[in-house]
Amino acid sequence: MLGTTVILAFRAINRHKLRSFLTTLGIIIGVAAVVTMVTLGNGATAAVREQISSLGANVLQLRPGQGFGRGGGGPRPPDFKPADLTAIENQLTGVRAVAPVVQSSGTAIYEGNNWSTTVYGTTSAYSEVQQWKVQDGRLFLPDEEEAGKSVCIIGNTVRTNLFQGAEPVGKRMRIKGVSCQVVGVLATRGQGGFGDQDDVVVMPIKFVQRRFTGDRDISQIMVAVDDAYDSATVQSSLEELMRERRKIKAGDQDNFNVFDTKQISDTLTGTTTILTQIVGAVAAISLLVGGIGIMNIMLVSVTERTREIGIRLAIGAVAREVLMQFLVEAIVLSCLGGLIGLFLALIASVAIAPLMQVPFLFDVKVNAIAFLFSAAIGVVFGYFPARRAAALNPIDALRHE
Amino acid sequence: MSVNPIISLRGVTKVYGEGPTAFQALKGVDLDIQQGDFVAVMGPSGSGKSTTMNILGCLDVPTGGTYLFKGHHVETLDRDQRALLRRRYLGFVFQGFNLLSRTTALENVELPLLYRGEDKKLRYDMGMAALDKVGLKDWWDHTPAELSGGQQQRVAIARAIVTQPDVLVADEPTGNLDSQRSIEIMELLTDLNRNSGITVLMVTHEPDMAAYARTIVHFRDGLVESIEEGVKA
Ligand SMILES: Nc1ncnc2c1ncn2[C@@H]1O[C@H](COP(=O)(O)OP(=O)(O)OP(=O)(O)O)[C@@H](O)[C@H]1O
Ligand SMILES: [Mg+2]
């Protein structure tokens, strides 16, 4: 009996191609919309996570001042001293790596090419804190750091603009009027939430302090928290230590701030997740509308096919068989629509993801759920009109015009 | 007359609708039909011919009375049981042909066999044999839209006889056809009745067509008015 109804269902689909196409169209659009939206949304979330982790996973940034938008006039709070760095390294538990940073902006010159960029003075620990990798060449050697030699590692943006096709490693360029030797090129990090992270020149901190800033002050200390420790705990002991070292009395406000990258990470990830959910919900509604479209066309087609149902019943079809035929038709159409929808979503996601600068992430679960949902819509929305068709009296059905 | 009629109606009534709009289409029909008979049913419009045929064909149930078909009390059967009776013993030909559109003649004819669960080869053989019997073997792959009215009705007859039914029920089979086509259909029905032993029940308004029958039943106002022997009896 199932074999018979399957044959009949396929014959009916084949004979009424336009009707079948219109029936599936709703599901195709619904499934394609849901899967594309969710896939791109997941890609966006992943991209945001990626950018955040490019800031360095779970890094505390220690800066002078009261943080963004706080503290007004008064004298500028003092920078940190090398002794602060040593204290953090030696007295704080739960720290994976500590890197001092001094920033300075200036122009780099190589064979007549100029490029305005940011100079970071830091130590090799920086690469550990920020998880930066060197793509060509090498990191600083201990003696270069110790002596504050004039060596630098450049980001890819600097490489492109300054060296244009030439191989930079081993070359000498000028930065802020001082000659320095390029020893390495950083692996591309892309557009972070904080500007082009490849537009940098990294030099030993001692060199930057001696030649550019003129003192031994440190403007920022990056503290990478050991994964085994809670960053909030480490943060409060860091604050405790700094209050002590900077002699802030109980009740007085801090003249420094600690910024936890995990917070932005959590906030941004949360936001994109919510966005994905909203977009997914909108798309799910379109899937539902597609399902109602199927039901509509099924209802219309039952009305249109009432005489046909009458003929089938008259020549001896049992109501169950007519019901089965309509059900199989509905399931086949919605599964087919689901598959086409998944395929279109795949094409659309692969095409759109690079335009949005997000990675394409194929999510088996999303695809499976959308497909099963479209099949379920076929069963549900195919069943009710089919039941109506099968319940008809053959005489009434035959008389139907 | 033999003692065991294939069809036996006793006091059959049919009421359409309920309450004040209820209409009694049959008022107590008694009728026996013998196996192998060719019966023409005549009578004025609205006298209950189609209503009776639908009950005889197990398409509808009487409101009152009893209907014995091959020993089955049809009035006690449910929808599915009646569908199975139709599938096994009955074939239908309608005034409006009632073929499936966009479906070839052969597929139309094969349809009852599909519901019987016959395999592909048998469906094809029996379908082609039935089309051959109505003279449309060469038209097997034409859809109804590509066939004339007479041809469509012959496809409908092929579909009705493909299961080798005991009884063929035909409600005004020539109602939509010109006289030449009508004669061809009547000759076909006569042949099926004579040579295949199929009992034929046919409604008609035309005495010329009724003349092919062995028994003529006259209806009036929901009752059998008279039964006469046909010229061919
Ligand atoms: N489904 C129905 N609902 C209500 N009344 C009906 C229904 N079917 C038939 N009738 C009524 O029952 C009566 C008998 O109808 P029936 O179709 O049996 O007549 P008939 O003898 O076949 O007429 P005709 O020669 O015009 O085909 C008519 O008055 C008709 O209006
Ligand atoms: Mg009638």
Side-chain angles (χ1 to χ4, degrees), chain B residues 211-230:
Chain B
Y212 286 85
R214 231 176 274 154
T215 308
I216 303 176
V217 178
H218 290 277
F219 269 74
R220 185 171 293 277
D221 286 338
L223 285 169
V224 175
E225 185 188 45
S226 63
I227 301 176
E228 61 171 310
E229 300 233 316

Side-chain angles (χ1 to χ4, degrees), chain A residues 85 89 97-102 120-130 139-141 145-146 153 202-206 209 218 222:
Chain A
L85 187 69
E89 278 171 344
V98 183
V101 178
V102 176
Y120 279 77
T122 186
T123 64
S124 289
Y126 192 75
S127 100
E128 210 175 312
V129 172
Q130 296 288 61
L139 289 170
F140 305 129
L141 302 173
E145 274 182 38
E146 205 48 50
I153 301 170
V202 183
M203 302 186 76
I205 186 165
K206 284 191 175 162
Q209 287 170 330
I218 298 163
M222 316 278 268

